[in-house]
Structure formats: C-alpha cells, structure tokens
Amino acid sequence: MVDLKGQYKQIKERVDTSIAEVMESTAFINGPEVHTFQKELEEYLGVKHVIPCANGTDALQIAMMGLGLKPGDEVITADFTFAATVEVIALLGLTPVLVDVNPHSFNIDLEAVKKAITPKTKAIVPVHLFGQVAEMQELMRIAKENKLYVIEDNAQAIGADYTQQDGSKIKAGTIGHVGSTSFFPSKNLGCYGDGGAIFTNDDELAHTLRGIVNHGMYERYHHDVVGVNSRLDSIQAAVLRAKLPHLDTYNSERREAARKYTKALAGNEKIITPLICDICDCHVFHQYTLRLKDIDRDALVKYLNSKDIPCGVYYPIPLHKQKAYADERYNERDFTVTNQLVQEVISLPMHTELDDEQIDFITKTVLEFLDGI
Ligand SMILES: *Cc1c(COP(=O)(O)O)cnc(C)c1O
C-alpha cells in the first residue's frame, strides 16, 4: 500500500546524516532537533504553536485534556474513522457520540452533528478522513453557535489547504480550537517510528498542553495538573526535518496519482471514484478510496491480492458496531451511510512513488474484475 523504501532512497543522505548527528550529540530526548522541527512546522502550517508528542493518539488525548473536558461531557465524532478518535474520548471518561458521515466526502455529516447536540455536548471532533478536509467553515459556525470546542483529527490530512469562502487558504489542523496529527510512518508526513503533534493558535492552551505532555510540570518537579509522558524523540524529529521540505511535493504526487486513477476508472458505473476538488488542494489523498456499487468487495480484494496488488478496507466495521463502543442509545437508522460504506469501500495503493506503469496495471486489473462479473 505504501513504498517507504523508495521514498527513503530519495532522501537517504540527508536522513542518515541527521540521524548520525543526533547519535553524536546524544541529545535523544528534547534535543535541539525537536525544537527546530517544532519551529519549522509552525512556520509551514502558519500556526502559533506546535506541541510535539509521542503519537497521534496521544495528541488527540492531550488536546482533550488541555481543553479541560470532564467526565460526562459529550463529544461528537464520526462513526466512520480509525478507532483512535473515539478511543481517547472514552478513555478520558467523556461520552462519545458517534454520528453518520457524508457519502461523498466520507467526512462527518453536519446535519447529523446538529441533531446530536445536547446541553451536555462540549466538543466536536471532525476527522479529515483519507486526506479530505471536512466542511470546516460551517462546522466552526455550528460550534460557535453552540459554544463547543472543535478538535481537528488531522492525522490523515497534514499539508492540506482548506479554501475559505473569502478565497483565503488555511492549513487543515489549524482551523479548530486545537488540531492533532500523527507521524506514523505511512502517514503523509511520516517518521521512522512513532510521533505526533498538537497545533493551536491559543497561547494559554499551548502553555497548558506543553505542561500536560511533560507530566503536568510547568516548573521542574512542580506538578500542577495530571499529565502524561508523551515525547517526540530527537531521531524522529531529525527524520521529520528531512521530510518536511518535501511535504508539498509528496502531497502533489499523491494528488497526481489520484487523478490518474480516476482518469482510468471514471465512467465505469460499478464504481464511484473519490471526490476531487479541481479548484483547491483540500484533499491530500492519504488514501484513494473507491465505492463499489452492488459488487462483492471481498471478491475484488481477493482478485487484486491474487495479482499481487495490495489493497485495503478502511474501515470494515463502523465504530458504533464495535464491541468497545456499541451503545443502546444508537439507532441503526441514524447510520445508513456508514453501514453502507463499510460494505462498499476499497482503497488502492497510494504513496509518493507510484509510477504510470503501476497505476496502469492496478486500474486494468480492477476493470478486468468488474468486466468479468
Ligand atoms: C493514524 C491515525 C490516528 C492515530 O495516530 P497514531 O500515531 O497511530 O497514534 C488517529 N486518527 C486517525 C484518523 C488516524 O488515521
């Protein structure tokens, strides 16, 4: 699904040198590489504060801790996402409220959000799924009207540009009160281990978050709040510093591959290709995900695998049906889209090293299967 080796080869010299420098310096934790990466990412995103941490799941959890959410508070999020999003809500004793998504963008459905708001609701967590930015402007309006926090789970859309109604652009993850991301190796900006970060323009919140990631310490050995231990290590920061200058290129390579997939597959009535916005860069294609109409998806998965083509099913089970998150408050009628998507979706290989020959082979094999049934 990804070609991390091919990408590494292109930046090997810089990465190897930077890692060797960290080894020489022995500043493995909180070394200068981490601080410099933080500054460089702040600059790239146009956000006042980046708080590096250990992974994207921690980033979400720490963001929620920093906002002071309390047990019993309801947090609305999408039913169709990776479990980390709902996991941290539950872990903090908050009440997850899962809602349906939009069938075209795969992102949280705004009408469903409005319907789910109660006096206990404190926050909304949109997930920019597969690299496509959610409808943030309208979501922020709903949040403001109801005095809710917005925490963007930007693990899949780092570098995406959201175009606002006035035409101005803003980076995904910096639109809500706080945003989080993951540097897991296969993410659009991935390190060579685990890593994550939190973003905010709020000085006070940034200060709180910096303490939480470091055992609740604002002054050495003074623990003002309950914190966690969540750090980005210097070796990962060195890798990320080598890759950050290429992020825009990486994302345009993904977009280019997506356009080629769509060009080859569009027009076949058995598949729905993903939304591609022609006028903006609000999709960075963490995944290229098709919807199959009345096709046995699992048979296609088998067929592609038999031709040595990897593919993925993100996600096969809606969160409201997972044992850990099922709740009798949920009504199946409120999840018609996710219940359908989990049966229809299939993601094709997507990375920065896809060449025309590979895309041609993959799309021909998909069409061959569809023609054969
Ligand atoms: C990857 C991912 C996370 C978690 O990131 P980790 O670094 O693996 O903890 C959270 N949310 C979404 C949507 C993700 O894709």
Side-chain angles (χ1 to χ4, degrees), residues 137-162:
Q137 204 156 14
E138 178 61 8
L139 189 79
M140 293 308 290
R141 202 192 55 71
I142 296 168
K144 193 168 179 194
E145 209 171 271
N146 294 280
K147 299 195 170 59
L148 307 175
Y149 290 121
V150 172
I151 303 153
E152 293 176 77
D153 182 345
N154 196 34
Q156 302 189 1
I158 193 150
D161 268 318
Y162 180 74

mmCIF file of all heavy atoms in Angstrom, residues 137-162:
data_model
loop_
_atom_site.group_PDB
_atom_site.id
_atom_site.type_symbol
_atom_site.label_atom_id
_atom_site.label_comp_id
_atom_site.label_asym_id
_atom_site.label_seq_id
_atom_site.Cartn_x
_atom_site.Cartn_y
_atom_site.Cartn_z
ATOM 1 N N GLN A 137 -15.665 25.408 7.692
ATOM 2 C CA GLN A 137 -16.235 26.729 7.934
ATOM 3 C C GLN A 137 -17.632 26.622 8.558
ATOM 4 O O GLN A 137 -17.930 27.280 9.553
ATOM 5 C CB GLN A 137 -16.288 27.518 6.619
ATOM 6 C CG GLN A 137 -16.291 29.004 6.875
ATOM 7 C CD GLN A 137 -15.771 29.788 5.699
ATOM 8 O OE1 GLN A 137 -15.634 29.281 4.583
ATOM 9 N NE2 GLN A 137 -15.479 31.055 5.919
ATOM 10 N N GLU A 138 -18.454 25.758 7.994
ATOM 11 C CA GLU A 138 -19.808 25.563 8.505
ATOM 12 C C GLU A 138 -19.762 24.889 9.885
ATOM 13 O O GLU A 138 -20.518 25.226 10.787
ATOM 14 C CB GLU A 138 -20.606 24.725 7.487
ATOM 15 C CG GLU A 138 -22.028 24.395 7.883
ATOM 16 C CD GLU A 138 -22.929 25.613 8.087
ATOM 17 O OE1 GLU A 138 -22.518 26.746 7.784
ATOM 18 O OE2 GLU A 138 -24.061 25.408 8.590
ATOM 19 N N LEU A 139 -18.823 23.962 10.033
ATOM 20 C CA LEU A 139 -18.691 23.281 11.321
ATOM 21 C C LEU A 139 -18.299 24.266 12.428
ATOM 22 O O LEU A 139 -18.819 24.220 13.544
ATOM 23 C CB LEU A 139 -17.647 22.158 11.216
ATOM 24 C CG LEU A 139 -17.582 21.246 12.435
ATOM 25 C CD1 LEU A 139 -18.729 20.241 12.406
ATOM 26 C CD2 LEU A 139 -16.268 20.493 12.484
ATOM 27 N N MET A 140 -17.403 25.190 12.113
ATOM 28 C CA MET A 140 -16.981 26.193 13.093
ATOM 29 C C MET A 140 -18.160 27.101 13.453
ATOM 30 O O MET A 140 -18.288 27.544 14.587
ATOM 31 C CB MET A 140 -15.812 27.039 12.560
ATOM 32 C CG MET A 140 -14.502 26.297 12.373
ATOM 33 S SD MET A 140 -13.936 25.366 13.818
ATOM 34 C CE MET A 140 -13.484 26.672 14.939
ATOM 35 N N ARG A 141 -19.011 27.358 12.474
ATOM 36 C CA ARG A 141 -20.188 28.192 12.734
ATOM 37 C C ARG A 141 -21.133 27.471 13.707
ATOM 38 O O ARG A 141 -21.617 28.063 14.664
ATOM 39 C CB ARG A 141 -20.900 28.503 11.405
ATOM 40 C CG ARG A 141 -21.782 29.742 11.438
ATOM 41 C CD ARG A 141 -22.673 29.833 10.207
ATOM 42 N NE ARG A 141 -23.495 28.641 10.009
ATOM 43 C CZ ARG A 141 -24.523 28.296 10.779
ATOM 44 N NH1 ARG A 141 -24.888 29.065 11.787
ATOM 45 N NH2 ARG A 141 -25.197 27.190 10.541
ATOM 46 N N ILE A 142 -21.351 26.191 13.448
ATOM 47 C CA ILE A 142 -22.219 25.400 14.335
ATOM 48 C C ILE A 142 -21.617 25.371 15.750
ATOM 49 O O ILE A 142 -22.318 25.528 16.746
ATOM 50 C CB ILE A 142 -22.374 23.944 13.796
ATOM 51 C CG1 ILE A 142 -23.077 23.943 12.443
ATOM 52 C CG2 ILE A 142 -23.109 23.056 14.802
ATOM 53 C CD1 ILE A 142 -23.025 22.591 11.701
ATOM 54 N N ALA A 143 -20.307 25.200 15.809
ATOM 55 C CA ALA A 143 -19.624 25.115 17.106
ATOM 56 C C ALA A 143 -19.766 26.426 17.872
ATOM 57 O O ALA A 143 -20.053 26.450 19.074
ATOM 58 C CB ALA A 143 -18.154 24.770 16.901
ATOM 59 N N LYS A 144 -19.576 27.536 17.164
ATOM 60 C CA LYS A 144 -19.649 28.847 17.807
ATOM 61 C C LYS A 144 -21.047 29.107 18.353
ATOM 62 O O LYS A 144 -21.219 29.545 19.495
ATOM 63 C CB LYS A 144 -19.260 29.929 16.790
ATOM 64 C CG LYS A 144 -19.004 31.271 17.411
ATOM 65 C CD LYS A 144 -18.346 32.213 16.433
ATOM 66 C CE LYS A 144 -18.146 33.561 17.116
ATOM 67 N NZ LYS A 144 -17.824 34.623 16.149
ATOM 68 N N GLU A 145 -22.033 28.778 17.533
ATOM 69 C CA GLU A 145 -23.424 28.986 17.911
ATOM 70 C C GLU A 145 -23.767 28.205 19.182
ATOM 71 O O GLU A 145 -24.574 28.644 19.993
ATOM 72 C CB GLU A 145 -24.295 28.484 16.756
ATOM 73 C CG GLU A 145 -25.609 29.163 16.590
ATOM 74 C CD GLU A 145 -26.233 28.690 15.278
ATOM 75 O OE1 GLU A 145 -25.952 29.327 14.243
ATOM 76 O OE2 GLU A 145 -26.967 27.680 15.296
ATOM 77 N N ASN A 146 -23.152 27.040 19.333
ATOM 78 C CA ASN A 146 -23.474 26.180 20.474
ATOM 79 C C ASN A 146 -22.380 26.178 21.545
ATOM 80 O O ASN A 146 -22.389 25.336 22.442
ATOM 81 C CB ASN A 146 -23.727 24.754 19.975
ATOM 82 C CG ASN A 146 -24.972 24.671 19.111
ATOM 83 O OD1 ASN A 146 -26.080 24.622 19.620
ATOM 84 N ND2 ASN A 146 -24.789 24.701 17.802
ATOM 85 N N LYS A 147 -21.412 27.079 21.414
ATOM 86 C CA LYS A 147 -20.300 27.204 22.363
ATOM 87 C C LYS A 147 -19.566 25.866 22.569
ATOM 88 O O LYS A 147 -19.393 25.395 23.693
ATOM 89 C CB LYS A 147 -20.804 27.737 23.703
ATOM 90 C CG LYS A 147 -21.431 29.119 23.597
ATOM 91 C CD LYS A 147 -21.571 29.752 24.976
ATOM 92 C CE LYS A 147 -21.972 31.207 24.908
ATOM 93 N NZ LYS A 147 -23.266 31.438 24.197
ATOM 94 N N LEU A 148 -19.149 25.271 21.470
ATOM 95 C CA LEU A 148 -18.455 23.986 21.526
ATOM 96 C C LEU A 148 -17.022 24.141 21.029
ATOM 97 O O LEU A 148 -16.736 24.980 20.181
ATOM 98 C CB LEU A 148 -19.172 22.960 20.631
ATOM 99 C CG LEU A 148 -20.671 22.773 20.865
ATOM 100 C CD1 LEU A 148 -21.245 21.821 19.819
ATOM 101 C CD2 LEU A 148 -20.940 22.267 22.276
ATOM 102 N N TYR A 149 -16.142 23.311 21.577
ATOM 103 C CA TYR A 149 -14.775 23.266 21.064
ATOM 104 C C TYR A 149 -14.732 22.390 19.821
ATOM 105 O O TYR A 149 -15.488 21.417 19.709
ATOM 106 C CB TYR A 149 -13.844 22.638 22.097
ATOM 107 C CG TYR A 149 -13.611 23.483 23.312
ATOM 108 C CD1 TYR A 149 -13.941 23.007 24.572
ATOM 109 C CD2 TYR A 149 -13.025 24.751 23.197
ATOM 110 C CE1 TYR A 149 -13.704 23.767 25.707
ATOM 111 C CE2 TYR A 149 -12.786 25.517 24.325
ATOM 112 C CZ TYR A 149 -13.127 25.028 25.578
ATOM 113 O OH TYR A 149 -12.892 25.778 26.683
ATOM 114 N N VAL A 150 -13.799 22.710 18.931
ATOM 115 C CA VAL A 150 -13.553 21.855 17.768
ATOM 116 C C VAL A 150 -12.111 21.369 17.816
ATOM 117 O O VAL A 150 -11.169 22.172 17.904
ATOM 118 C CB VAL A 150 -13.834 22.607 16.448
ATOM 119 C CG1 VAL A 150 -13.393 21.767 15.256
ATOM 120 C CG2 VAL A 150 -15.310 22.948 16.342
ATOM 121 N N ILE A 151 -11.969 20.048 17.815
ATOM 122 C CA ILE A 151 -10.644 19.409 17.825
ATOM 123 C C ILE A 151 -10.510 18.687 16.491
ATOM 124 O O ILE A 151 -11.250 17.741 16.217
ATOM 125 C CB ILE A 151 -10.566 18.381 18.979
ATOM 126 C CG1 ILE A 151 -10.863 19.063 20.323
ATOM 127 C CG2 ILE A 151 -9.211 17.675 18.986
ATOM 128 C CD1 ILE A 151 -11.439 18.118 21.363
ATOM 129 N N GLU A 152 -9.596 19.150 15.644
ATOM 130 C CA GLU A 152 -9.452 18.507 14.336
ATOM 131 C C GLU A 152 -8.510 17.314 14.430
ATOM 132 O O GLU A 152 -7.342 17.475 14.794
ATOM 133 C CB GLU A 152 -8.842 19.478 13.326
ATOM 134 C CG GLU A 152 -9.691 20.661 12.948
ATOM 135 C CD GLU A 152 -8.907 21.582 12.021
ATOM 136 O OE1 GLU A 152 -8.767 21.260 10.823
ATOM 137 O OE2 GLU A 152 -8.403 22.620 12.510
ATOM 138 N N ASP A 153 -8.998 16.150 14.060
ATOM 139 C CA ASP A 153 -8.105 14.996 13.944
ATOM 140 C C ASP A 153 -7.516 15.047 12.540
ATOM 141 O O ASP A 153 -8.138 14.650 11.559
ATOM 142 C CB ASP A 153 -8.876 13.689 14.174
ATOM 143 C CG ASP A 153 -7.953 12.466 14.098
ATOM 144 O OD1 ASP A 153 -6.817 12.606 13.592
ATOM 145 O OD2 ASP A 153 -8.379 11.379 14.524
ATOM 146 N N ASN A 154 -6.301 15.579 12.474
ATOM 147 C CA ASN A 154 -5.665 15.816 11.176
ATOM 148 C C ASN A 154 -4.602 14.769 10.856
ATOM 149 O O ASN A 154 -3.674 15.026 10.099
ATOM 150 C CB ASN A 154 -5.053 17.227 11.187
ATOM 151 C CG ASN A 154 -4.714 17.723 9.799
ATOM 152 O OD1 ASN A 154 -5.410 17.405 8.837
ATOM 153 N ND2 ASN A 154 -3.631 18.470 9.681
ATOM 154 N N ALA A 155 -4.751 13.574 11.421
ATOM 155 C CA ALA A 155 -3.740 12.533 11.223
ATOM 156 C C ALA A 155 -3.582 12.144 9.750
ATOM 157 O O ALA A 155 -2.529 11.688 9.338
ATOM 158 C CB ALA A 155 -4.093 11.299 12.049
ATOM 159 N N GLN A 156 -4.655 12.346 8.952
ATOM 160 C CA GLN A 156 -4.588 11.887 7.561
ATOM 161 C C GLN A 156 -4.490 13.035 6.552
ATOM 162 O O GLN A 156 -4.483 12.781 5.351
ATOM 163 C CB GLN A 156 -5.821 11.012 7.252
ATOM 164 C CG GLN A 156 -5.921 9.799 8.185
ATOM 165 C CD GLN A 156 -6.983 8.798 7.776
ATOM 166 O OE1 GLN A 156 -7.661 8.957 6.774
ATOM 167 N NE2 GLN A 156 -7.124 7.735 8.565
ATOM 168 N N ALA A 157 -4.435 14.280 7.031
ATOM 169 C CA ALA A 157 -4.516 15.382 6.056
ATOM 170 C C ALA A 157 -3.480 16.471 6.278
ATOM 171 O O ALA A 157 -3.723 17.637 5.953
ATOM 172 C CB ALA A 157 -5.918 15.980 6.067
ATOM 173 N N ILE A 158 -2.301 16.113 6.795
ATOM 174 C CA ILE A 158 -1.328 17.183 7.029
ATOM 175 C C ILE A 158 -0.877 17.788 5.699
ATOM 176 O O ILE A 158 -0.615 17.068 4.738
ATOM 177 C CB ILE A 158 -0.141 16.715 7.893
ATOM 178 C CG1 ILE A 158 0.645 17.942 8.350
ATOM 179 C CG2 ILE A 158 0.746 15.709 7.163
ATOM 180 C CD1 ILE A 158 1.330 17.789 9.657
ATOM 181 N N GLY A 159 -0.873 19.101 5.670
ATOM 182 C CA GLY A 159 -0.466 19.809 4.452
ATOM 183 C C GLY A 159 -1.636 20.200 3.563
ATOM 184 O O GLY A 159 -1.456 20.963 2.620
ATOM 185 N N ALA A 160 -2.841 19.687 3.850
ATOM 186 C CA ALA A 160 -3.993 20.040 3.022
ATOM 187 C C ALA A 160 -4.361 21.501 3.248
ATOM 188 O O ALA A 160 -4.299 22.006 4.364
ATOM 189 C CB ALA A 160 -5.185 19.144 3.358
ATOM 190 N N ASP A 161 -4.726 22.166 2.159
ATOM 191 C CA ASP A 161 -5.128 23.577 2.215
ATOM 192 C C ASP A 161 -6.637 23.664 2.126
ATOM 193 O O ASP A 161 -7.223 23.190 1.155
ATOM 194 C CB ASP A 161 -4.551 24.325 1.001
ATOM 195 C CG ASP A 161 -3.205 24.923 1.314
ATOM 196 O OD1 ASP A 161 -3.038 25.476 2.416
ATOM 197 O OD2 ASP A 161 -2.313 24.848 0.439
ATOM 198 N N TYR A 162 -7.238 24.278 3.120
ATOM 199 C CA TYR A 162 -8.689 24.459 3.091
ATOM 200 C C TYR A 162 -8.985 25.859 2.575
ATOM 201 O O TYR A 162 -8.429 26.838 3.081
ATOM 202 C CB TYR A 162 -9.246 24.263 4.503
ATOM 203 C CG TYR A 162 -10.736 24.429 4.613
ATOM 204 C CD1 TYR A 162 -11.596 23.456 4.141
ATOM 205 C CD2 TYR A 162 -11.279 25.564 5.206
ATOM 206 C CE1 TYR A 162 -12.977 23.609 4.242
ATOM 207 C CE2 TYR A 162 -12.656 25.717 5.316
ATOM 208 C CZ TYR A 162 -13.493 24.739 4.832
ATOM 209 O OH TYR A 162 -14.851 24.891 4.946
#
